[in-house]
Structure formats: C-alpha cells, structure tokens
Amino acid sequence: MKKSNLYKGSLTTIILKLLNENDKMYGYEITQKVKELTKGELKITEGALYPSLHKLESEGYLDVEVLKVDNRMRKYYKLTETGTKETANKLNELEQYIATMRTLVNPKFRMG
Amino acid sequence: MKKSNLYKGSLTTIILKLLNENDKMYGYEITQKVKELTKGELKITEGALYPSLHKLESEGYLDVEVLKVDNRMRKYYKLTETGTKETANKLNELEQYIATMRTLVNPKFRMG
DNA sequence: TTCTTATACATAATTTATTTATGTATAAGA
DNA sequence: TCTTATACATAAATAAATTATGTATAAGAA
C-alpha cells in the first residue's frame, strides 16, 4: 500500500479499528476513509483489502450485509462479538510493537 | 520472529539501527542484543537474520570482516556511508509509520 | 564421558501478506 | 463519447518472514 513495507501486517488492525469506530462500513468506503484520515499518506489497495475482508469474515470476526444503493452493490461489514475482542487484541499488539521498536531505536524509550 | 506479524518489514530497520549505535557487530551478537534490549519480547530468527544481512551487504549498506575468535568464526558487519544514510531513511519511515498508525487508531493523535 | 546447551554460521522449503494486473459493472461529469 | 469515480472480485507475482535443517566448535552438566 506504500513505499515503506512497514505497513505489512497492519491492514487487519486498520480494518478492525475503523469498523470499531464506525459500526458498519463497506470496502470502498474503507479505502476512502484511510486516504482521508492519513491525508493521502496511506492508500490501501483493493487487491489487499477485499481478500482481507473475506478472510476476516471467514474467521468469524465480521458479518456482512449486501445492499443496493443507487443501483450499485455495497457489502457492508460490521464487527461480531469475537471481532470486537480481536480488535482489542490487535490494538494491544500495535501498542506493544511500537513500544518494542522504540526501545530498539530510541534510547529515551528504554523498556523496563 | 513473534506472534504478532507487525514486525514483518522491520528487521532491516532494527539491524541498521543497531549497527549505527554499535559500530560493528556479528550476526549472533545482534540476535542476543535484540533479545536483551526487548527483555525477550522480540527474538529474531537466524533464518531471517542471515539472509537479511547478506542482502544489506549486497546492496552496499554493510561491509563485512571475517574474524576467528576462540576458534569460532565471526562475520563482523559495519555500516558503509550509504548504509548510514539508509539508516536515517529507515528511521524516518518508522516514525512516519507510527504517526500514520496513530492517526488511524488513536483519535488523540489526529494528523495535521 | 556423554549429552545438552550455547555459540556461530548457512540455506532450502514453505507460508503469508502484500503488489500488480486484470476483470466486471454502474454513474457522473467533461 | 471518453474519462473518472464508485464498487466489487480474483489470479499471478513478489517479498519477508517462519520452519526445518545442516555444519562445526566450546562449555557445562549428568
């Protein structure tokens, strides 16, 4: 999704968190929201997004509802109960990742 | 290297930064240093480390010096000039990544 | 003395998340 | 009419890791 490959592995966290904040969203909406929030810094690609949504659904983290709006299909996703728990896990993992990287990279943030 | 797959893409940043701080290090030393600094949180595997070191060397970011210490081989790596520049780039990318993720995940840290 | 653990390198096979490249289809605007 | 935006989808290729091996020396425990 970007020149930096640090984003690899972050997509599910992003999707889950957005759905946690917005109750229900459809795929295209997610791409636009991410672009908007990051002021174009991060653009998630459809080739990554849709398979990821399908996976999250198959794992039971998301429920789907298909609607037709203005004659165009929209697949709305929302968190299940386990999906909400998984969101918390993923956010913890992100904070842990950031803390760990800071200890390695920034002497001011030493662990312990 | 860990249960969380957020670390994918961070290994080169970690290696470069450690070499930037410690002038010269050998592979095994890097694995131990990371384990120590993160109090066991992050263990980099040899299957990831050695190919990564070879790649950084082939890209001209690292110079190698092979020494024999206590009858055991050690390959000491150190940053080249372009390697030092690349370290700065990677660290900037990491800070940018963290800032971007915070805007997506933490409303307090909105961008702009 | 033998077995295990630590040190120190290496690589091949597999897995997984992504990018890149397509594809379909409708609506809006130039 | 042509392009851009909306909205989905998937297949092939790429890249970075994990997992599983392999070699070899040294130290320490049983």
Side-chain angles (χ1 to χ4, degrees), chain A residues 1-2 9-11 45 47-48 55 70-72:
Chain A
M1 24 181 160
K2 265 251 328 184
S10 320
L11 182 55
T45 62
K55 182 157 182 273
D70 291 331
N71 208 33
R72 268 198 241 91

Side-chain angles (χ1 to χ4, degrees), chain B residues 2 7 13 20 25 31 33 37 39-40 46-47 60 63 71 76-77 82 86 89-90 93-94 106 110:
Chain B
K2 265 250 328 182
Y7 291 94
T13 308
N20 188 252
M25 296 180 89
T31 67
K33 194 72 180 172
L37 286 172
K39 301 197 185 296
E46 295 168 298
D63 277 340
N71 207 34
Y76 278 95
Y77 292 91
T82 53
E86 181 66 2
N89 292 337
K90 289 291 182 187
E93 274 180 16
L94 177 62
N106 195 330
R110 275 286 141 74

Side-chain angles (χ1 to χ4, degrees), chain A residues 44-100:
Chain A
I44 69 178
T45 62
E46 295 168 298
L49 178 68
Y50 291 114
S52 188
L53 286 170
H54 301 159
K55 182 157 182 273
L56 287 168
E57 188 201 345
S58 81
E59 289 167 332
Y61 297 136
L62 301 184
D63 276 341
V64 199
E65 188 194 356
V66 181
L67 291 184
K68 204 145 192 184
V69 180
D70 291 331
N71 208 33
R72 268 198 241 91
M73 183 187 35
R74 284 185 188 171
K75 290 180 80 172
Y76 278 94
Y77 291 91
K78 70 182 320 177
L79 291 177
T80 61
E81 244 178 89
T82 51
T84 303
K85 285 174 198 159
E86 181 66 2
T87 305
N89 292 338
K90 288 292 182 185
L91 292 178
N92 286 336
E93 274 181 15
L94 178 61
E95 292 309 324
Q96 181 63 68
Y97 167 80
I98 292 174
T100 300

